[in-house]
Amino acid sequence: SRENACQFCVGSHVDLASSIGMDEPLEWLELPEKRSTRQELAMKWTLAVMHDSNAIPDELFTQVKDCFGDAGVIELTMLIGYINMLNMFNNALQNTYHGEMS
């Protein structure tokens, strides 16, 4: 959502993360050392799919498949596409978040 500049999704997700005690949730995106191997692979996979889904390195695909399994890769990839669609939907319709979940 941050990569797609979706104000609605970023704002609502930051508030939701804060509501469960996660301080500075966007900072987590900038600190790979705070992520588990699984989280780091999910992040790399997400960015690769978003950048060019036709050019995902074989090594990354193998690592993600080994970590998440066949069903996990399918679910993760579906969620990446779904969230990107929601970002485009919110951006195109100019939906804005006004702190309703804070």
Side-chain angles (χ1 to χ4, degrees):
S1 295
R2 188 179 71 159
E3 294 291 319
N4 292 327
C6 182
Q7 181 274 340
F8 183 91
C9 291
V10 171
S12 61
H13 292 152
V14 165
D15 279 354
L16 286 170
S18 295
S19 76
I20 61 168
M22 192 174 187
D23 294 328
E24 302 296 329
L26 292 178
E27 184 180 273
W28 179 85
L29 297 172
E30 303 300 329
L31 301 170
E33 65 275 6
K34 290 195 172 202
R35 295 191 287 266
S36 68
T37 300
R38 186 174 170 91
Q39 290 168 329
E40 182 64 15
L41 280 172
M43 178 75 90
K44 287 179 180 179
W45 182 253
T46 299
L47 294 173
V49 169
M50 289 176 63
H51 177 71
D52 185 350
S53 60
N54 288 309
I56 295 172
D58 291 339
E59 181 181 352
L60 178 59
F61 179 79
T62 300
Q63 290 173 334
V64 172
K65 189 174 176 182
D66 288 348
C67 182
F68 289 90
D70 290 335
V73 174
I74 292 167
E75 182 177 357
L76 183 57
T77 307
M78 185 281 304
L79 288 170
I80 293 165
Y82 179 67
I83 295 301
N84 275 277
M85 181 276 302
L86 288 175
N87 294 161
M88 288 183 271
F89 180 87
N90 286 321
N91 289 344
L93 297 179
Q94 300 177 7
N95 290 328
T96 54
Y97 176 70
H98 302 285
E100 295 89 345
M101 292 182 231
S102 58

